[in-house]
């Protein structure tokens, strides 16, 4: 979740006062770095994944489940004895979250069949060994009781008057505490916005849901601003933590050059909503069924640090910019020359930065993208951070760059050229099982191969990308949603756009020029001569899961969770999910992962 810098964290007021100075350093640092990286050539078969995981504690006697605040302890165990794990682990926003990544990058298509699922499994087993028998590690979109009274173990009570977030629901003690980055980010977003960002998600209306539904904040002490921010027929969550405490599944691939990275970046943009809908795994927030299936809206709202001026609610002050969207949102522009006509929404940018980048011979379209990023200031700074030689470090640049949590991210090569340009695909939700996580990760990687090697074009107008991201967040989007797509994905086809179902986009539309993404991937797999038939069958089993989710014959995790709740005898059909139902649901997921039970309806 950004740059993990060590040091003494500045207050928000100190950071705000230094923001313009840091922007100047950031611009200079990129300009000095650009000649070192612009012509780098690298191996584009290297790639990897990142998965954010949730630690959970079960109380089997009372059928209670809590988010387990043991991430710091687990990481210290690994630091003391690295031989305990074979994969790499990092802290994440919440004290009950961990991020796992492969120690070494994957290499090409063979590793898709041989290593990806195995490494997801290895990560789960290795961390579970460091936990107690009633504790586990899970790969879910969010802990479903986050924000409920005493949702963590050990329990903590929020202290909004003396906290970074001001939340009445999420205690600072639940934020990872062994690094100031996470508290600093929370303070920065809240400080820049001038208030804790409200998060409102539509309620899922069931048979006995009150009309209107008014969120019950019993067990909390709402302030006047909380009462003002609440909205009928919506679940209310108050502040930054309710986004970054959600989990993600991300795939990063190295590109052979800057040009290839820009091409992949742009082609990934329209794919993001499709994979978000197919990976939907987050239908429950604060123990309440939402009328949405993903974490995306919670992320977008909770990380929206824009001031009233930047949101267009009051007059802009000198030196400020009108900012059209949250820090966490769809990527909002193409940089490939032939796609510029599809940039159909305003893109404000810092003219000073743009002119400086052009003078340094930065690609003009990439310079626009970088200058657009520079309209935002830093969220946090550390003492002495700018007492550096801009020719030797990129820390100030990364302090702005890595705090843009967009659907696609370009990762710059290091100064020493030890690796190349990389592109990260970010919207995917983590899946309940290792097979499902592998299927989505491999599918995205194989799409990157098609983008590299085949004559395809996926780009649609940026405004339609944003429309699709909203559609992907809706309940049952994978089965019922409509999404803008190209009438033909051949590279030289006309820019004609139609609304299609996920089934038509993935499996193809009869009597049209849309073959479907799955058939394209299957054809690519069949053409590979460096892998065995057994490996091809493994890859095809991953594609088969994607196909089944698209045609509705297999459920997304969100659909399975919602159906589990609605069919449970303890659920009163009032949108409120009893804690023992959530306990039983998560226990089934854990039992499936460790072979204690089977659940074909979940596994798909």
């Amino acid at each position: 979740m950004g740059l993990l810098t060590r040091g003494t964290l500045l207050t928000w007021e100190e950071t705000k006062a230094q923001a313009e100075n840091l922007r100047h350093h950031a611009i200079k640092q990129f300009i000095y770095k650009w000649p070192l990286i612009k012509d780098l050539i690298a191996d584009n078969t290297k790639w990897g994944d990142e998965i954010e995981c949730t630690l959970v504690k079960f109380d089997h006697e009372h059928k209670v489940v809590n988010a387990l605040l043991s991430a710091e302890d687990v990481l210290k165990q690994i630091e003391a004895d690295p031989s305990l794990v074979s994969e790499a682990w990092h802290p994440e926003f919440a004290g009950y979250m961990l991020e796992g990544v492969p120690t070494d990058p994957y290499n090409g298509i063979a590793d898709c069949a041989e290593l990806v699922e195995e490494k997801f499994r290895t990560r789960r087993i290795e961390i579970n060994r460091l936990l107690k028998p009633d504790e586990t590690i899970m790969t879910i979109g969010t802990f479903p009781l986050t924000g409920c009274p005493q949702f963590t173990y050990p329990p903590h009570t929020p202290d909004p008057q003396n906290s970074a977030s001001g939340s009445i629901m999420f205690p600072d003690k639940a934020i990872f505490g062994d690094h100031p980055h996470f508290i600093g980010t929370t303070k920065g977003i809240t400080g820049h916005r001038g208030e804790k960002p409200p998060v409102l998600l539509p309620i899922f209306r069931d048979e006995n849901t009150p009309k209107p539904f008014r969120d019950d904040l019993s067990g909390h002490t709402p302030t006047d601003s909380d009462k003002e921010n609440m909205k009928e027929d919506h679940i209310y969550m108050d502040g930054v933590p309710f986004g970054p405490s959600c989990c993600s599944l991300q795939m990063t691939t190295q590109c052979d050059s800057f040009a290839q990275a820009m091409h992949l970046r742009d082609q990934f943009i329209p794919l993001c909503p499709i994979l978000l809908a197919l990976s939907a795994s987050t239908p429950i927030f604060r123990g309440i069924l939402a009328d949405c299936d993903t974490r995306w809206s919670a992320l977008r709202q909770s990380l929206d640090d824009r001031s009233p001026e930047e949101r267009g609610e009051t007059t802009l002050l000198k030196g400020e910019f009108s900012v059209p969207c949250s820090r966490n949102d769809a990527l909002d522009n193409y940089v490939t020359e032939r796609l510029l006509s599809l940039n159909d929404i305003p893109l404000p940018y810092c003219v000073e930065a743009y002119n400086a980048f052009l003078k340094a011979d930065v690609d003009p379209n990439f310079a626009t993208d970088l200058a657009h990023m520079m309209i935002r200031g830093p969220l946090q700074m550390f003492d002495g951070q700018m007492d550096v030689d801009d020719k030797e470090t990129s820390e100030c640049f990364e302090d702005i760059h890595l705090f843009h949590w967009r659907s696609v991210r370009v990762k710059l090569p290091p100064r020493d050229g030890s690796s190349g340009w990389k592109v990260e695909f970010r919207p995917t939700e983590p899946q309940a099982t290792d097979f499902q996580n592998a299927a989505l990760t491999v599918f995205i990687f194989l799409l990157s191969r098609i983008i590299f090697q085949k004559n395809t074009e996926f780009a649609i107008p940026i405004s339609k990308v944003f429309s699709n991201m909203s559609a992907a967040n809706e309940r049952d989007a994978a089965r019922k949603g409509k999404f803008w797509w190209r009438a033909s994905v051949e590279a030289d086809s006309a820019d004609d756009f139609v609304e299609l179902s996920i089934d038509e986009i993935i499996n193809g539309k009869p009597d049209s020029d849309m073959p479907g993404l799955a058939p394209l991937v299957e054809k690519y797999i069949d053409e590979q001569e460096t892998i065995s038939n057994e490996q091809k069958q493994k890859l095809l089993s991953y594609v088969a899961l994607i196909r089944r989710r698209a045609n509705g014959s297999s459920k997304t995790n969100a659909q399975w969770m919602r159906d589990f709740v609605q069919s449970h005898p303890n659920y009163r059909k009032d949108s409120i999910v009893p804690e023992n139902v959530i306990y039983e649901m998560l226990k089934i997921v854990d039992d499936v992962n460790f072979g204690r039970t089977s659940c074909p309806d979940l596994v798909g």
Side-chain angles (χ1 to χ4, degrees):
M1 190 193 165
L3 188 66
L4 292 181
T5 303
R6 288 281 183 182
T8 301
L9 191 68
L10 300 184
T11 66
W12 168 245
E13 290 304 320
E14 291 171 330
T15 298
K16 185 178 179 180
Q18 291 293 322
E20 191 61 29
N21 194 13
L22 183 135
R23 182 185 286 122
H24 290 312
H25 279 278
I27 294 168
K28 289 179 181 178
Q29 288 174 8
F30 179 84
I31 288 171
Y32 283 124
K33 186 176 184 177
W34 174 246
L36 306 177
I37 63 174
K38 64 185 180 72
D39 297 321
L40 275 178
I41 302 298
D43 180 359
N44 71 2
T45 65
K46 303 293 184 184
W47 66 286
D49 64 67
E50 304 169 25
I51 188 163
E52 295 163 0
C53 309
T54 302
L55 301 178
V56 166
K57 179 179 176 62
F58 290 107
D59 179 343
H60 298 300
E61 180 181 356
H62 300 100
K63 290 193 173 183
V64 172
V65 62
N66 294 98
L68 177 65
L69 297 176
S70 290
E72 186 176 337
D73 175 65
V74 169
L75 290 171
K76 286 181 177 177
Q77 288 185 62
I78 295 170
E79 184 180 12
D81 184 0
S83 68
L84 292 171
V85 296
S86 59
E87 301 291 270
W89 291 93
H90 307 291
E92 252 302 332
F93 179 85
Y96 51 84
M97 294 171 65
L98 290 169
E99 180 186 77
V101 300
T103 305
D104 299 308
Y106 301 130
N107 186 17
I109 191 170
D111 283 357
C112 291
E114 297 296 331
L115 290 181
V116 178
E117 186 176 346
E118 175 188 329
K119 283 184 173 287
F120 278 125
R121 177 75 176 160
T122 297
R123 278 174 254 179
R124 189 184 302 274
I125 292 172
E126 288 181 341
I127 294 300
N128 212 58
R129 287 174 180 160
L130 304 181
L131 302 173
K132 296 175 182 176
D134 59 351
E135 301 169 353
T136 195
I137 182 170
M138 307 194 78
T139 47
I140 52 179
T142 191
F143 182 66
L145 294 168
T146 298
C148 293
Q150 311 291 290
F151 75 94
T152 64
Y153 183 87
H156 293 284
T157 300
D159 181 10
Q161 300 302 318
N162 300 293
S163 72
S165 69
S167 175
I168 64 170
M169 305 173 185
F170 196 106
D172 272 14
K173 291 286 187 180
I175 300 175
F176 186 84
D178 195 39
H179 197 290
H181 164 82
F182 302 104
I183 288 288
T185 300
T186 303
K187 289 180 177 179
I189 292 172
T190 306
H192 187 77
R193 185 182 175 92
E195 61 179 356
K196 56 183 180 181
V199 178
L200 292 162
L201 300 179
I203 188 73
F204 170 71
R205 183 163 295 286
D206 213 335
E207 295 175 15
N208 300 324
T209 305
K211 295 182 180 180
F213 171 85
R214 293 185 175 91
D215 201 347
D216 180 10
L217 297 186
S218 58
H220 304 295
T221 307
T223 64
D224 290 342
S225 65
D226 290 313
K227 295 173 183 176
E228 291 174 6
N229 287 330
M230 294 174 68
K231 185 177 178 182
E232 288 185 351
D233 295 324
H234 284 72
I235 304 165
Y236 174 63
M237 294 172 283
D238 69 326
V240 173
F242 288 94
S245 63
C246 296
C247 296
S248 301
L249 170 65
Q250 297 157 358
M251 192 282 290
T252 298
T253 186
Q254 185 165 265
C255 301
D256 65 14
S257 63
F258 167 76
Q260 189 177 71
M262 297 302 103
H263 176 56
L264 183 61
R265 169 202 184 275
D266 285 1
Q267 296 300 304
F268 266 172
I269 291 172
L271 292 170
C272 288
I274 312 307
L275 271 298
L276 176 61
L278 287 166
S279 65
S281 67
T282 321
I284 305 171
F285 294 84
R286 271 191 52 238
I288 306 171
L289 280 173
D291 203 32
C292 57
D293 275 358
T294 83
R295 77 209 188 287
W296 193 255
S297 183
L299 278 168
R300 182 177 53 78
Q301 294 179 65
S302 69
L303 298 174
D304 188 354
D305 73 322
R306 293 175 298 164
S307 67
E309 293 81 10
E310 291 169 333
R311 298 196 302 270
E313 296 173 3
T314 59
T315 304
L316 281 170
L317 302 176
K318 183 179 180 180
E320 291 185 328
F321 299 89
S322 175
V323 183
C325 58
S326 170
R327 282 181 183 261
N328 193 107
D329 218 322
L331 198 55
D332 49 359
N333 68 307
Y334 296 114
V335 296
T336 309
E337 187 68 30
R338 72 179 187 280
L339 302 180
L340 297 185
S341 63
L342 300 180
N343 289 336
D344 61 342
I345 64 173
L347 191 77
Y349 61 91
C350 174
V351 175
E352 175 200 357
Y354 177 73
N355 290 336
F357 293 143
L358 283 187
K359 189 175 180 180
D361 200 30
V362 178
D363 174 85
N365 299 333
F366 190 46
T368 302
D369 183 56
L370 294 170
H372 172 54
M373 185 174 64
M374 290 294 165
I375 67 175
R376 299 184 194 265
L379 291 178
Q380 61 177 27
M381 290 175 61
F382 291 85
D383 187 37
Q385 186 171 340
M386 291 183 292
D387 298 334
V388 294
D389 183 349
D390 290 332
K391 296 180 180 180
E392 302 297 329
T393 183
S394 302
E395 190 169 300
C396 292
F397 174 80
E398 296 297 352
D399 210 20
I400 294 178
H401 176 222
L402 292 181
F403 284 87
H404 282 67
W405 302 290
R406 311 311 286 270
S407 55
V408 179
R409 173 184 284 161
V410 174
K411 295 182 174 180
L412 276 59
R415 288 173 168 271
D416 62 6
S418 55
S419 62
W421 290 86
K422 301 183 183 75
V423 178
E424 182 180 47
F425 191 95
R426 298 175 49 80
T428 326
E429 304 224 302
Q431 303 298 288
T433 71
D434 303 315
F435 174 82
Q436 294 168 345
N437 284 312
L440 283 160
T441 305
V442 167
F443 190 72
I444 297 166
F445 171 75
L446 293 175
L447 286 173
S448 76
R449 302 305 97 178
I450 289 170
I451 291 167
F452 285 167
Q453 300 173 24
K454 303 296 181 180
N455 199 28
T456 56
E457 179 60 73
F458 299 133
I460 64 175
I462 288 293
S463 63
K464 297 189 186 302
V465 173
F466 275 83
S467 175
N468 282 355
M469 289 300 283
S470 295
N473 189 59
E474 297 294 323
R475 173 168 53 92
D476 273 3
R479 291 189 291 199
K480 300 177 181 178
K482 287 290 187 179
F483 296 80
W484 288 102
W485 199 245
R486 295 186 71 88
S488 171
V489 296
E490 292 184 5
D492 297 326
S493 61
D495 283 342
D496 293 331
F497 311 103
V498 294
E499 280 192 291
L500 300 176
S501 66
I502 292 283
D503 186 22
E504 291 168 328
I505 292 170
I506 294 296
N507 293 318
K509 184 178 181 181
D511 303 320
S512 76
D513 292 329
M514 180 54 208
L517 296 178
L520 288 174
V521 170
E522 289 166 342
K523 182 180 179 183
Y524 177 81
I525 292 170
D526 184 60
E527 292 171 347
Q528 302 311 299
E529 299 178 353
T530 59
I531 57 175
S532 67
N533 286 333
E534 183 179 0
Q535 290 172 321
K536 289 181 180 181
Q537 291 305 311
K538 182 68 171 179
L539 299 180
L540 290 172
S541 74
Y542 294 148
V543 181
L545 176 66
I546 305 299
R547 276 186 173 275
R548 291 196 299 271
R549 284 195 176 178
N551 67 28
S553 59
S554 287
K555 297 176 181 178
T556 64
N557 285 181
Q559 291 160 354
W560 179 83
M561 291 179 180
R562 193 181 299 276
D563 288 351
F564 181 90
V565 170
Q566 289 189 274
S567 63
H568 198 285
N570 291 349
Y571 172 63
R572 295 183 292 273
K573 299 187 182 302
D574 59 356
S575 308
I576 308 300
V577 188
E579 186 171 2
N580 64 345
V581 176
I582 290 176
Y583 161 86
E584 290 182 24
M585 181 182 75
L586 294 185
K587 186 175 184 300
I588 288 174
V589 173
D590 193 53
D591 286 346
V592 166
N593 276 305
F594 288 97
R596 296 186 288 264
T597 192
S598 62
C599 184
D601 205 29
L602 167 64
V603 175

